[in-house]
Amino acid sequence: MGSNPLSCKSHGKLRYEYNVQTYYWRHSMAEAIEASLYIFIFIFLGMVSGGVAVTIISKVFHKDTLYLNVFCGGILAGIVGFDLVPELMSHYRPLGVMAGISLGILFMLLMDRFLHNSSHTIFEHPETIMLLFLALLFHSIPSGIALGIDFQAGHLQESVLLGAILIHHIPEGMVMMVSVLYSNMKLKSFWIFCFVLSLAVGVNTFLGIILDFQSIKLRTMFMGIAVGTLGYVTFYELLWKGIKRHLALKMILAAILGFLIIRFYLSITSFFH
């Protein structure tokens, strides 16, 4: 019996459509990987630049890591107050934000208690460096996903935005370097932290591109957790503990200086967005 011409034509059409879909899927995957790689590189460069800046600033503070720690606490307070919280209030519902912030603070409280009770640390102030690293790691989730969504909208094609990504992560590199110095860790720890955090943003950018993250509730929760964890480290671990450990006018001025510098810094970088 001869084959049905209509059946052969239909089969050929289906195979053609499958090949086209496979081609576009592979092409979109390649673009997603390329974009994530760019994000990883630019964030890594930004954080390393922040670390280099700290080595210069440390001379102003005569390498006093306690003053530097409070100074960077002021920087993070400015990031939370001038950048993250206004974005949350303008894009997400307050109830979901508060739930996410509460979860973030609860998690940090549990981790803080665990680190304080741990006796197997090989460096000073382990709670400070580890809590800061976890906070920035949580922050990488909504940041990366948001960048992935921007890529879908075609915004990441602009070189100006890539420059803004690099500049935006310089303060994070500064804070990370200060915490490494404050904890008397080896310099290679800074490079490892920068690599992991940059990779985390890159991976989340990739997920934001290939997956459908249109759930506003999920994004609200992630953003709330990021602010809660970062806020806990900023106001309790860095500022409150630092000023309490050595209450002096210079300590308060160091925190205010960091706060004002990041305010000025963010006003300049806003022109890149």
Side-chain angles (χ1 to χ4, degrees), residues 154-203:
H155 299 317
L156 282 186
Q157 307 300 326
E158 304 173 12
S159 58
V160 174
L161 184 57
L162 289 174
I165 291 168
L166 185 150
I167 293 171
H168 187 77
H169 285 81
I170 289 176
E172 292 185 10
M174 292 175 66
V175 174
M176 205 75 248
M177 174 61 91
V178 168
S179 296
V180 167
L181 295 175
Y182 182 64
S183 301
N184 286 327
M185 299 178 72
K186 294 181 179 179
L187 188 59
K188 67 178 182 181
S189 301
F190 171 75
W191 293 94
I192 293 171
F193 286 138
C194 289
F195 178 83
V196 173
L197 290 171
S198 304
L199 183 64
V201 180
V203 169

Side-chain angles (χ1 to χ4, degrees), residues 31-270:
E31 284 188 334
I33 293 171
E34 183 181 2
S36 303
L37 186 60
Y38 274 120
I39 295 297
F40 164 75
I41 292 171
F42 274 81
I43 289 177
F44 184 77
L45 290 175
M47 296 190 75
V48 170
S49 300
V52 172
V54 163
T55 60
I56 299 172
I57 295 173
S58 63
K59 296 180 181 179
V60 177
F61 291 98
H62 305 290
K63 297 184 178 180
D64 192 322
T65 55
L66 187 58
Y67 281 102
L68 277 171
N69 215 38
V70 174
F71 172 75
C72 283
I75 288 178
L76 282 179
I79 292 174
V80 172
F82 295 126
D83 189 20
L84 297 181
V85 171
E87 182 183 351
L88 276 175
M89 294 298 104
S90 61
H91 292 91
Y92 303 100
R93 292 184 178 180
L95 185 61
V97 170
M98 291 306 298
I101 290 175
S102 300
L103 282 175
I105 293 174
L106 178 61
F107 174 80
M108 296 307 268
L109 284 169
L110 293 173
M111 287 302 301
D112 195 2
R113 186 170 182 177
F114 170 77
L115 290 169
H116 275 297
N117 294 333
S118 177
S119 59
H120 301 289
T121 55
I122 57 175
F123 49 88
E124 299 178 27
H125 312 292
E127 66 280 358
T128 300
I129 186 70
M130 293 311 298
L131 290 177
L132 176 62
F133 174 73
L134 287 172
L136 293 177
L137 193 62
F138 273 115
H139 181 54
S140 72
I141 298 174
S143 298
I145 290 173
L147 288 171
I149 293 171
D150 282 342
F151 176 84
Q152 289 179 338
H155 299 317
L156 282 186
Q157 307 300 326
E158 304 173 12
S159 58
V160 174
L161 184 57
L162 289 174
I165 291 168
L166 185 150
I167 293 171
H168 187 77
H169 285 81
I170 289 176
E172 292 185 10
M174 292 175 66
V175 174
M176 205 75 248
M177 174 61 91
V178 168
S179 296
V180 167
L181 295 175
Y182 182 64
S183 301
N184 286 327
M185 299 178 72
K186 294 181 179 179
L187 188 59
K188 67 178 182 181
S189 301
F190 171 75
W191 293 94
I192 293 171
F193 286 138
C194 289
F195 178 83
V196 173
L197 290 171
S198 304
L199 183 64
V201 180
V203 169
N204 283 296
T205 300
F206 177 78
L207 294 176
I209 295 172
I210 65 170
L211 300 179
D212 186 13
F213 276 100
Q214 300 304 318
S215 173
I216 191 68
K217 292 182 179 179
L218 188 62
R219 288 164 60 186
T220 302
M221 188 65 67
F222 276 139
M223 283 298 297
I225 291 173
V227 171
T229 53
L230 201 57
Y232 179 88
V233 174
T234 299
F235 296 104
Y236 179 70
E237 197 64 38
L238 296 179
L239 291 176
W240 171 252
K241 283 188 176 181
I243 294 175
K244 185 181 178 181
R245 189 173 290 117
H246 182 63
L247 183 58
L249 181 60
K250 287 184 179 180
M251 292 289 286
I252 298 173
L253 290 176
I256 294 174
L257 181 62
F259 188 77
L260 293 177
I261 284 177
I262 200 63
R263 179 69 184 95
F264 178 71
Y265 183 86
L266 290 174
S267 65
I268 293 176
T269 58
S270 64

Side-chain angles (χ1 to χ4, degrees), residues 3-13:
S3 59
N4 190 339
L6 292 177
S7 177
C8 292
K9 188 180 292 185
S10 177
H11 180 71
K13 184 179 180 181

Side-chain angles (χ1 to χ4, degrees), residues 15-30:
R15 186 191 302 180
Y16 171 76
E17 290 178 352
Y18 172 78
N19 290 335
V20 170
Q21 290 176 358
T22 302
Y23 169 78
Y24 280 114
W25 181 81
R26 289 177 178 175
H27 183 67
S28 62
M29 285 290 287

